[in-house]
Amino acid sequence: MHTIDLSYVGHGYHEELVAYVADQEGYYEDEGVHVAIRDGVGWKTERVRHGATIGLGRALLSRLTDGIGWKMLSVNTHRPLFWFLGNADVTSMADLRGRRLAVHGGHTAPGCFARIVMRKYGMDPDRDVECVTRVPGDYQMDLRRLRDGSIDAAYVGSTLSPEQVADEEGFHLLAWVGDHFQIPTVGVAVDPTHIPLESPALQALVRANERALRTIAEQPGLAVDYLASFLQRLTRDEVQQHYERYVAPYFTPDGQVDLNIAQQAIDAVAAELGVAPQAADAIYQPQRP
């Protein structure tokens, strides 16, 4: 049996769902590959690049800024699963001006995406908003700080459902990043200097993950069961609604990339980082028949 490490570099179902389905449904075993799913959230890039990684956004930023030749072989979604959440007094993105926003650092993929979206709303993230940079976990501390007033808004990921949190806490869902900025963000990426693209283990991993993507698209009841294991504060009906809003329409059923979206995203990220863009077809595996 072949073996390969696969790291996730962010918490939440946006990173973990597809690999979790592939593992639990036995798809890796069917492909004859043992996949060690590793928590790489706190890893330096040098360690991440020794295995396959789910974090396409982080890999892209690393390629643009560090020159590492990451190659993206499969894409789960082009819609980043991050949200702007405001407290009781912040009811719209316009209300963020002059406010304290807890957000990922601008050198990280989620933080870069946040800055791009803020600019689309006409805000300069360095002047118009007081960005309180923090290392994200499951965002529970953000909720606590929203309650006690030490921050006014938070940029949160898929460890929680923003609609449910807003309803329970009297907060406001300000914006979903996926409505304003598209980029291939999760899937399978490797550094070919460590894992050759023709590696049997890598190809088996990709096939199993793409089978999991088909399962998520074609078996919604099963997909909701798995999603519920990540969103345990939600009722079954709320998980179903979350699946129908954010997963079913936007997770690819085949893992293929839209190179036009990818190129626009690369150009936007490069401009935000102040580096030279690169060609999408040099980074992402071309569409397969």
Side-chain angles (χ1 to χ4, degrees):
M1 178 174 282
H2 301 295
T3 63
I4 191 169
D5 283 357
L6 174 65
S7 66
Y8 57 89
V9 294
H11 294 293
Y13 73 83
H14 72 294
E15 288 256 351
E16 301 174 67
L17 178 63
V18 173
Y20 185 66
V21 171
D23 179 56
Q24 295 299 303
E25 290 296 304
Y27 297 160
Y28 295 138
E29 185 177 0
D30 290 348
E31 291 289 346
V33 61
H34 172 73
V35 178
I37 300 175
R38 310 290 299 278
D39 180 349
V41 173
W43 289 1
K44 301 294 186 182
T45 299
E46 184 59 35
R47 186 175 181 185
V48 174
R49 66 191 293 208
H50 283 268
T53 184
I54 296 169
L56 302 191
R58 176 169 168 174
L60 174 62
L61 265 68
S62 173
R63 179 166 177 136
L64 293 176
T65 59
D66 303 328
I68 297 172
W70 292 99
K71 190 75 171 181
M72 325 302 189
L73 282 78
S74 186
V75 170
N76 298 347
T77 181
H78 295 74
R79 305 264 183 163
L81 287 162
F82 293 93
W83 295 265
F84 290 86
L85 190 65
N87 66 10
D89 298 324
V90 178
T91 64
S92 69
M93 288 294 287
D95 288 345
L96 282 179
R97 291 182 180 276
R99 305 283 189 149
R100 296 158 297 179
L101 169 70
V103 66
H104 307 61
H107 63 285
T108 68
C112 181
F113 304 162
R115 292 171 67 87
I116 289 171
V117 172
M118 283 190 277
R119 292 190 195 282
K120 290 193 173 190
Y121 276 93
M123 287 180 283
D124 182 337
D126 296 317
R127 291 187 174 89
D128 297 331
V129 181
E130 183 181 339
C131 290
V132 181
T133 303
R134 45 85 167 111
V135 177
D138 64 0
Y139 304 100
Q140 293 302 312
M141 183 56 73
D142 285 352
L143 300 186
R144 180 175 175 177
R145 296 178 70 191
L146 284 168
R147 293 186 200 105
D148 68 23
S150 57
I151 59 174
D152 303 300
Y155 181 76
V156 301
S158 65
T159 60
L160 48 77
S161 170
E163 287 94 346
Q164 176 258 344
V165 168
D167 184 62
E168 281 190 5
E169 303 284 351
F171 299 156
H172 298 95
L173 176 57
L174 309 179
W176 175 41
V177 170
D179 279 334
H180 303 282
F181 179 60
Q182 296 181 50
I183 184 172
T185 53
V186 283
V188 178
V190 295
D191 174 2
T193 62
H194 291 283
I195 300 180
L197 298 181
E198 63 273 14
S199 160
L202 175 61
Q203 294 300 323
L205 165 64
V206 170
R207 288 193 299 270
N209 276 26
E210 292 181 351
R211 184 178 174 189
L213 282 166
R214 289 196 298 275
T215 296
I216 290 169
E218 296 171 1
Q219 299 183 50
L222 184 62
V224 169
D225 287 341
Y226 281 121
L227 190 59
S229 68
F230 290 94
L231 300 172
Q232 296 184 9
R233 288 178 58 176
L234 270 61
T235 66
R236 173 75 185 200
D237 286 346
E238 289 169 338
V239 176
Q240 179 73 40
Q241 292 167 11
H242 193 92
Y243 169 83
E244 292 173 355
R245 171 68 174 95
Y246 297 111
V247 177
Y250 301 122
F251 272 56
T252 72
D254 55 14
Q256 297 204 45
V257 67
D258 185 318
L259 287 176
N260 290 327
I261 290 175
Q263 189 62 65
Q264 293 175 38
I266 292 168
D267 293 346
V269 167
E272 180 62 41
L273 297 175
V275 298
Q278 297 181 24
D281 59 6
I283 301 174
Y284 299 91
Q285 181 171 281
Q287 292 192 354
R288 303 175 294 283

